[in-house]
Amino acid sequence: MPLIAPSRRRLLQFAAAAAVSPGLAAMKPQAVVGRVLAVSDLHSAYERTAHLLAAFEHEIRSHPAPHVIAVNGDIFEQGNVVAQRSSGVVDWAFLAALPGLAPTVVNLGNHDNDLTPDLADVVARMKTLGLHVVSTITDTRTGVGYAPSVATLPFGAHRLRVVGMATNSMNTYPKASRDQLSIPAAADWARAHLSDSLSGADKVMVMSHAGVVADQDMLPMLPSGALMVGGHDHLLFQHQRGSSAYVHTGSFTSAYTVAEFAADGGVTAASHPVSTQSAASPALATLTARTLTEQLTPEEQAVLWTGRRALSLGDTGRAIAAGMARATGAHAGFIGHTTLGNAAPAGRVSRYVFDSIVRFEGRLLTAEVSRADFGTFMARANQDRPLPLGALTGDFLYAFGAAPERGPIRIVTTDWCATNQQTYFGRDDLIFQPSPGLTLKAVAASALASEG
C-alpha cells in the first residue's frame, strides 16, 4: 500500500531519495501538454504571499506549456489582525495578479468569507477580477449556488474541466453566515453528480475542500488521467493512482504543487516549498510591507522570544503538547493540528508571528484514560509521518508524552478537541475536566520560548 507523507520536510527527503531510484530514473519522460499550479489553505500567510506569486511567475516563464492556476479554498484568515484591519488587501492583490499569469479557478473553502461575511459578495468580487469560481455551496436565501460546481478552462490545445466541492463541516464556517449556507456531503454529491459533470470532458481536475476522508470515497469515481486536488486538512502529499494523481498542497503558503498532464494521458505531481529566502514579486512585496507597517500595533510587534532554530510544524505542535502536559501535570498533551498555522521560526518571534503559529485561543482540559486507550490515541496522533492513505484521518492531533509504569494515565487537550473528541480521539465518552487559569496561548508561548 502506498505511503503518504504529510510532512513537507519528510516529503522532500523522500522526493530526493526517489530521484536516484533506478526504476524512476529509467522512465521515459512524456511531453507535457499542460501544467496546473495548485495551492490550498493559504490563510492570509503574508510572510510568503509575495514569494508564492514570484514562484508562479517563474514557473510560467520557465515552462512553455499551457498553465492553469488552481486555488483550493481558504484564502483568507480572520485570525490575522492585519487581514482583518486591511480587509484582506494583500490577499485580494494576490488574487488579482493571477489571471494575468494564467487562467485561474478558485474552489470555495470554509474561510473564504472570514473577512467579508456574505459569501455572495466574495464570489462577485472574485469574478470581477477574472477568476473562475466553483463550489457546491448553495445560498439558502435564493436556493441558487454561490457559484457553479463546474467550469471549463482553456488549456492550450485542450480544455480543462474543473469540478469544485466544499466541506459540509458547518461549524468551521464563520458563525454569522452559517444559516445562509446549504452544503451537501461531498461524496454524496459526487455519487449523484460527478459522472454527469465530467461527461465529454477532455482533461479533468476535481477540486475538493472536503478533506482527505471524504476524498477517499471519491477517488474511485475519477476517470483515468484525472487530477484531484484536496484541501481543508492542511496536509501535503502526492498519491499516484494509475494514470491519475491525487494531491494535497500544504497550507499557510508554505508550498505549492505542480501537476503535469502528459501527452500519453497520465498526470504526475510534485511539491515545491515556498521560502521567505526566495525571490518575491516586487509590487506585492511592497504592498505587504506597507500594510504590515500601517496595521500592526506596537504590542503586536513586541518580541516574545528569540528562537535559536526553526522547528517543523510537527515539532512545533509536539513542543506545545509537551508544554500543555507540564503545565497541567499530565502525562501527555494533545493539540489539534489545524489549531496551528505556521511552524515556529528561528529568530525574533513577535506577538503577531506567534498568533500565526497558534491560530486560536482555548482552554485546557484533562482526562484520565486507560492504558489501552492511551496507546490507541498515540498511534492515531502525529500524522506527519509516512502513513498509508487509508490511515489518514483528516483532523489529527500532535501529541507528546508517555504512559507511567503504573496507575492511571492523565492526558490534556484543548476545549475544541475535547468537544470534538470523536473526530480527534475516535471516542465520544471521554470525561474531561477544566484546568482553571490555564489558556492555550499562554502555555504555548512559554513552551515555544523554552524550546528557543
Side-chain angles (χ1 to χ4, degrees):
M1 182 177 294
L3 294 182
I4 298 301
S7 160
R8 180 179 72 178
R9 181 181 64 184
R10 293 174 191 240
L11 177 81
L12 295 178
Q13 288 172 346
F14 294 153
V20 298
S21 165
L24 292 175
M27 294 174 66
K28 182 179 179 180
Q30 291 289 325
V32 175
V33 300
R35 303 172 91 233
V36 170
L37 309 180
V39 287
S40 181
D41 300 286
L42 303 179
H43 292 288
S44 301
Y46 294 160
E47 63 275 6
R48 289 182 293 273
T49 305
H51 302 276
L52 175 62
L53 181 58
F56 281 0
E57 293 165 345
H58 176 74
E59 289 283 356
I60 292 168
R61 282 196 311 268
S62 303
H63 297 84
H67 284 78
V68 161
I69 297 172
V71 182
N72 193 21
D74 286 6
I75 299 158
F76 306 97
E77 175 83 346
Q78 191 271 342
N80 183 331
V81 293
V82 174
Q84 284 182 44
R85 294 169 189 160
S86 67
S87 300
V89 64
V90 174
D91 304 298
W92 285 110
F94 170 75
L95 292 174
L98 297 181
L101 301 177
T104 301
V105 59
V106 174
N107 179 41
L108 297 175
N110 49 295
H111 284 276
D112 287 323
N113 61 329
D114 266 15
L115 307 179
T116 307
D118 192 331
L119 191 57
D121 294 337
V122 177
V123 173
R125 185 170 178 181
M126 288 179 174
K127 288 182 176 179
T128 66
L129 298 177
L131 300 165
H132 301 265
V133 186
V134 290
S135 183
T136 49
I137 307 175
T138 295
D139 188 337
T140 59
R141 298 165 296 184
T142 64
V144 177
Y146 284 95
S149 56
V150 182
T152 302
L153 277 63
F155 204 39
H158 298 271
R159 304 283 286 175
L160 182 65
R161 181 74 55 84
V162 181
V163 176
M165 290 171 280
T167 176
N168 67 330
S169 297
M170 199 64 74
N171 65 343
T172 64
Y173 289 81
K175 188 174 183 179
S177 69
R178 292 174 193 168
D179 62 356
Q180 301 172 4
L181 313 176
S182 176
I183 312 168
D188 291 344
W189 186 93
R191 278 187 281 269
H193 302 290
L194 188 59
S195 178
D196 288 343
S197 298
L198 298 179
S199 178
D202 181 4
K203 302 300 181 183
V204 168
M205 176 170 65
V206 174
M207 300 174 71
S208 165
H209 201 83
V212 69
V213 174
D215 292 353
Q216 290 181 63
D217 289 336
M218 295 185 281
L219 283 174
M221 306 181 204
L222 297 181
S224 297
L227 169 66
M228 185 169 189
V229 180
H232 184 58
D233 291 328
H234 297 194
L235 303 177
L236 175 57
F237 64 78
Q238 301 91 47
H239 175 72
Q240 202 68 35
R241 183 182 172 90
S243 60
S244 298
Y246 169 45
V247 303
H248 277 238
T249 68
S251 60
F252 276 72
T253 323
S254 61
Y256 64 95
T257 294
V258 177
E260 296 187 334
F261 287 74
D264 67 355
V267 183
T268 56
S271 178
H272 301 267
V274 178
S275 168
T276 57
Q277 304 304 309
S278 63
S281 191
L284 190 56
T286 298
L287 174 64
T288 303
R290 183 172 70 244
T291 304
L292 291 171
T293 298
E294 292 171 349
Q295 301 298 338
L296 285 175
T297 67
E299 291 77 14
E300 289 155 354
Q301 297 179 69
V303 174
L304 302 184
W305 75 86
T306 300
R308 292 194 305 271
R309 61 188 178 94
L311 301 179
S312 69
L313 186 58
D315 287 343
T316 300
R318 284 181 283 274
I320 294 171
M324 292 163 59
R326 287 194 300 270
T328 57
H331 297 106
F334 295 82
I335 184 169
H337 83 292
T338 57
T339 299
L340 306 181
N342 282 313
R348 295 185 299 175
V349 178
S350 66
R351 169 60 62 181
Y352 173 71
V353 170
F354 172 68
D355 285 340
S356 77
I357 298 170
V358 181
R359 299 167 65 201
F360 310 112
E361 184 59 284
R363 296 178 295 118
L364 302 188
L365 289 82
T366 61
E368 289 190 357
V369 301
S370 70
R371 195 166 295 272
D373 284 343
F374 179 73
T376 299
F377 301 158
M378 292 298 289
R380 184 185 176 99
N382 296 321
Q383 292 185 20
D384 57 334
R385 65 193 193 277
L387 288 169
L389 179 60
L392 299 180
T393 59
D395 288 311
F396 70 88
L397 296 156
Y398 290 120
F400 187 89
E405 291 185 4
R406 60 181 64 84
I409 302 168
R410 193 168 186 238
I411 65 170
V412 58
T413 192
T414 63
D415 50 354
W416 172 260
C417 295
T419 301
N420 298 281
Q421 58 178 270
Q422 180 65 56
T423 297
Y424 289 98
F425 291 94
R427 294 281 297 274
D428 60 7
D429 57 352
L430 301 176
I431 300 173
F432 285 94
Q433 302 295 332
S435 299
L438 293 177
T439 59
L440 173 61
K441 287 206 171 191
V443 170
S446 176
L448 292 176
S450 67
E451 287 285 322

